[in-house]
Amino acid sequence: MPTTDVPAASAGSTTHATGTAHTTGTIHTTSTIHATSTSRALDDTMELRLPAELLPLLAEADLLDSPATWGSTITPAGDFRLEPVRPGRDLELLTGWMNDPEVADYWELAGPAEVTAAHLRAQLDGDGRSIPCLGLLEGTPMSYWEIYRADLDPLSRHYPARPHDTGIHLLIGDGTNRGCGLGTALLRAVADLVLDNRPRCTRVIAEPDIRNTPSVSAFLSSGFRCYTEIDLPEKRAALMIRERALRNLL
């Protein structure tokens, strides 16, 4: 975390500052300045109210460098950006996608909205190591992404992780967008967004099910290399890695 050095107070004076942040979106800052040359004391209280939409950004900032602030990128299919999921707004859409048979085979989240909500809540109530996002193409939600710290994930027990390895999960929600090369374009775009906005990250990681041939092929076509196969509790996976050092070569 960044630190700010404050010069020591000059002789004969003392400065106290306290700050308390509340989850309601209100930050109270109180400062009191005492001067020995007079008997006066000044006590100022400043209240700042943060808009509700900024609060998720605070939670994301530490571990994943705020995907919400990464901006958009141009792909062959148009302008694309990531937007953190808001369950109150997005749950119905995501539940529909999770119940698509092609998606359910690999995500195993078919069922009522409560199933999808619990999956999202586990991330949103966590420490920020995984951020669920919508992928918007030309402003239209059409894919679901999870951007996560692979080096802090149980996945790290199955491969030689490096600090700040960043993992991605993807599903394309609308079946009409599958099988046309769009996944390849979006995977390359999101990997580039990660590398551009997470300077400490040297590798983007993925672990698609080896049975999901279209997914594995899309990763290979988007600059990832298959390093090995690994046995995870829920699947046998292809460990895919895109390295910063090779991003312009593959």
Side-chain angles (χ1 to χ4, degrees), residues 41-55:
L42 175 64
D43 190 347
D44 294 327
T45 299
M46 178 175 62
E47 182 179 275
L48 300 177
R49 291 196 175 275
L50 298 178
E53 61 269 19
L54 292 184
L55 295 180

Side-chain angles (χ1 to χ4, degrees), residues 135-190:
L136 279 67
L137 187 62
E138 292 294 318
T140 299
M142 47 72 63
S143 55
Y144 171 71
W145 301 76
E146 291 172 354
I147 311 298
Y148 68 98
R149 282 286 296 272
D151 60 322
L152 303 179
D153 189 81
L155 175 65
S156 64
R157 303 170 191 155
H158 301 271
Y159 82 104
R162 296 178 188 171
H164 295 283
D165 277 356
T166 303
I168 57 177
H169 295 143
L170 159 69
L171 75 83
I172 295 180
D174 186 345
T176 61
N177 288 322
R178 301 176 199 147
C180 58
L182 183 58
T184 295
L186 297 184
L187 284 169
R188 181 177 289 275
V190 170

Side-chain angles (χ1 to χ4, degrees), residues 9 18 20 38 105 107 113 124 151-152 162-163 177 182 187-188 192 202-203 206 213 219 228 231 234-235:
T18 61
T20 304
T38 68
D105 281 347
W107 284 76
L124 296 172
D151 60 322
L152 303 179
R162 296 178 188 171
N177 288 322
L182 183 58
L187 284 169
R188 181 177 289 275
D192 283 341
T202 61
R203 305 189 302 180
T213 303
F219 277 104
T228 188
D231 288 311
E234 70 281 5
K235 64 186 178 184

Side-chain angles (χ1 to χ4, degrees), residues 155 157-160 205-213 216 220 225-233 235-241:
L155 175 65
R157 303 170 191 155
H158 301 271
Y159 82 104
I205 309 295
E207 18 78 33
D209 192 309
I210 60 171
R211 299 172 300 155
N212 193 344
T213 303
V216 173
L220 290 171
R225 294 192 293 173
C226 183
Y227 274 67
T228 188
E229 293 181 6
I230 54 178
D231 288 311
L232 301 177
K235 64 186 178 184
R236 184 162 179 80
L239 181 67
M240 314 295 296
I241 299 180

